[in-house]
Amino acid sequence: MQWFHGPIASRIGRRYSSHCKVPRVFGSNIRHDKLKDPFQAFPMFAYLLRRLALIPLTLLGIITINFVIVQIAPGGPVEQLLAKLKDTAVSATARVGGGEGAEVGRGAATAQGAGSSSVYRGAQGLDPAFVAELNRQFGFDQPAYVRFGRMIGDYLRFDLGKSYFRDRAVLDLILDKLPVSISLGVWSTLLIYAISIPLGIAKAVRDGSRFDVLSSAAVIVGYAIPAFLFAILLIIVFAGGRYLDWFPLRGLTSDHWTDLSWPARILDYFWHLTLPVTAMVIGGFASLTMLTKNAFLDEINKQYVVTARAKGLSERRVLYGHVFRNAMLLVIAGFPATLVGMLFTGSLLIEVIFSLDGLGLLGFEAVVKRDYPVMFGTLYMFSLIGLLLNLVSDLTYHLVDPRIDFAAREG
C-alpha cells in the first residue's frame, strides 16, 4: 500500500475532493456558521442600522442641553414683549428672579399681591393678571419639564410649533428660508472643491517650487482671515461701499425679478450671489487645498507609484490612473461634512451681512428676540440634517474604498 503516497494518490485525492465539495446554500459561498447571524453577512448594513438608531438619542441630548441652557440664560419672550409695551430697553444680562430660570416663574411670573413686585423687571407697574395671561399664552405657566416633554412629543411628529412673533408655523418658516441657505451652501461647496482639488494637485506635483510657495501664501491668508471680514471688504470695494458699485448689497434677487425673462432671472440670481459666495469660498478653500496636497504627496511617495514609473507609465497616467483614487478618498468622502459646515455655520454671518433671508438669519433673529419655537426648531432641523449627512460621509468612505470597514472597527 506504499503506492498511495505517490503521484497516483494525489490524482485520486483531487478527483475525490472535486466530487465531494460542500454544497452551496442558496447559491452562495457563505459558511454555515455565518448564517446564524444574518448581520455578519452584511456588516455595513448592521453598521447603518446602529448609526440610525443613535440619531434619536443624539438629537435628544442636543435638545436637552440647549433647553437647560435656555432656562438658565436671562431674558425671555415675555420680558421682550413687556419691554416693547413699556418702551424700555432690557439688558441681555439683566438678572431675573424665579425658580425656573430666566423666562419662567413658578406658575409663571405673577405678582404676589397688588403692591408686590413681579419676577420680571419690565413688569413693574403692570397689572399682575395681565402678566399672568402673557405667561399662559406663551406656555410658561407650566413647569419646565412639562414644556420639555410636550416639545419632544411634538418633534417626534415633526410639529415644530408656532413662532411667538411671526404668527407662522416654524416648519413653514424653515421651508421658506431653506432655498437661500441651500443656494449659498451648494454653490460655495462646489466652487471650493472645483478650486481646491486642482490647486492641491498642482501644489503636490510642484512641491517646493516657486508656485508652491506663492500659492501657500494665498492659502495662509485665506485660512487666517474669516469669511465675514472678506465679506465686509467685498462690500466696501464692489458694492458701493466706497469704490465701485458693481454688485447689489442686499437680497438674492431684484425687486422686479418676476418681470424678467428666464435668462435674465438666472443672470440676476447669480449677480446677487457673486459677493456672498465669493466671501465663503475665499474663507473655506484653504484647508481643503492643503488636505488635497498632503494626500497626494503621501501617495506619490509610496512604493506602487515607484513601480508604476519603473514600468514606463507616463506621469499623467501614474498621477490620475493610480494616485488619484487613493489620494481623493479623504477629499471626496469629506464632501457631506463640508456641505454641512457651509449650510449651517459658514453662512450665518454672511446672511446677516448681506441681508439674505435664509436659515442663518432666521436663527440669529430668533436668538435675539428669544423666539424659542424658532430657536429649537432650527436647532432640531440643523442637527438632524447634520447627523444624516455625517452618516452619508461615512458611507461615502466605504464606497470610495471598500477596504474601509467601520463595522469591523466597531465589532
Side-chain angles (χ1 to χ4, degrees):
M1 300 298 290
Q2 296 295 327
W3 59 274
F4 275 99
H5 297 283
I8 299 177
S10 300
R11 288 195 215 95
I12 295 175
R14 282 197 297 269
R15 289 182 182 179
Y16 179 79
S17 60
S18 64
H19 292 287
C20 300
K21 291 181 179 179
V22 178
R24 293 183 177 184
V25 180
F26 301 108
S28 65
N29 290 324
I30 301 175
R31 290 170 52 186
H32 292 279
D33 56 345
K34 293 288 185 181
L35 295 177
K36 296 178 181 178
D37 187 0
F39 289 109
Q40 292 183 5
F42 308 99
M44 284 304 297
F45 180 71
Y47 171 76
L48 177 63
L49 290 181
R50 287 195 295 269
R51 286 290 300 272
L52 289 175
L54 285 175
I55 287 178
L57 297 177
T58 307
L59 282 174
L60 180 61
I62 293 173
I63 295 175
T64 302
I65 293 173
N66 285 272
F67 185 84
V68 172
I69 293 174
V70 165
Q71 306 311 304
I72 300 173
V78 175
E79 191 170 10
Q80 294 269 338
L81 186 58
L82 292 176
K84 290 182 180 180
L85 291 175
K86 296 189 66 175
D87 247 350
T88 58
V90 179
S91 172
T93 57
R95 292 184 179 179
V96 181
E100 291 293 336
E103 80 288 350
V104 182
R106 207 169 296 223
T110 58
Q112 297 300 325
S116 62
S117 61
S118 171
V119 294
Y120 292 112
R121 188 171 292 183
Q124 295 177 0
L126 295 177
D127 185 5
F130 173 71
V131 179
E133 178 62 22
L134 285 179
N135 280 278
R136 188 192 65 79
Q137 291 180 3
F138 282 107
F140 296 146
D141 56 332
Q142 299 292 328
Y145 66 87
V146 174
R147 290 184 283 112
F148 179 75
R150 184 168 59 243
M151 181 179 69
I152 295 299
D154 293 338
Y155 282 4
L156 291 176
R157 304 190 301 270
F158 277 90
D159 180 8
L160 304 183
K162 192 173 182 180
S163 172
Y164 287 156
F165 304 109
R166 295 175 182 260
D167 196 29
R168 291 187 61 190
V170 175
L171 187 59
D172 293 339
L173 286 172
I174 292 176
L175 293 178
D176 286 346
K177 314 299 181 184
L178 194 58
V180 176
S181 297
I182 289 179
S183 296
L184 288 177
V186 170
W187 288 116
S188 300
T189 305
L190 291 177
L191 283 176
I192 285 174
Y193 269 76
I195 294 173
S196 300
I197 292 176
L199 181 58
I201 295 175
K203 286 174 65 63
V205 173
R206 300 172 178 85
D207 184 37
S209 65
R210 179 176 298 180
F211 170 79
D212 183 37
V213 174
L214 294 177
S215 59
S216 295
V219 167
I220 291 172
V221 172
Y223 186 78
I225 302 178
F228 72 89
L229 287 182
F230 281 116
I232 296 174
L233 178 62
L234 291 174
I235 289 175
I236 294 174
V237 177
F238 297 107
R242 185 171 181 180
Y243 299 101
L244 303 174
D245 193 8
W246 291 354
F247 296 96
L249 179 60
R250 296 173 177 271
L252 201 59
T253 55
S254 300
D255 295 335
H256 60 285
W257 187 77
T258 55
D259 300 331
L260 300 175
S261 61
W262 277 108
R265 290 183 182 183
I266 296 174
L267 290 176
D268 182 78
Y269 167 74
F270 284 108
W271 183 48
H272 283 77
L273 267 181
T274 301
L275 291 187
V277 169
T278 301
M280 295 178 67
V281 169
I282 293 176
F285 84 101
S287 58
L288 185 61
T289 300
M290 297 308 298
L291 176 64
T292 304
K293 176 190 174 181
N294 294 331
F296 268 80
L297 284 178
D298 184 54
E299 292 296 325
I300 287 174
N301 295 324
K302 288 186 177 180
Q303 186 63 40
Y304 74 91
V305 177
V306 177
T307 304
R309 287 171 175 168
K311 290 181 178 179
L313 297 180
S314 64
E315 192 67 24
R316 184 180 183 85
R317 185 171 181 182
V318 170
L319 186 63
Y320 293 101
H322 296 273
V323 177
F324 187 81
R325 178 178 178 179
N326 294 326
M328 292 302 295
L329 173 62
L330 293 176
V331 178
I332 295 176
F335 184 87
T338 304
L339 181 59
V340 170
M342 288 292 125
L343 282 175
F344 304 138
T345 57
S347 64
L348 172 59
L349 291 177
I350 299 298
E351 290 182 10
V352 174
I353 292 172
F354 288 97
S355 299
L356 300 175
D357 197 10
L359 290 177
L361 185 61
L362 175 67
F364 176 78
E365 292 179 348
V367 172
V368 172
K369 296 179 180 179
R370 302 296 196 271
D371 196 345
Y372 292 154
V374 178
M375 283 175 55
F376 287 109
T378 53
L379 175 67
Y380 175 74
M381 294 302 297
F382 286 177
S383 302
L384 178 60
I385 295 175
L387 290 171
L388 290 176
L389 286 180
N390 283 332
L391 177 58
V392 172
S393 179
D394 289 346
L395 295 178
T396 308
Y397 276 107
H398 182 72
L399 292 176
V400 174
D401 190 351
R403 293 173 298 178
I404 296 179
D405 191 354
F406 295 99
R409 295 183 181 182
E410 285 192 349

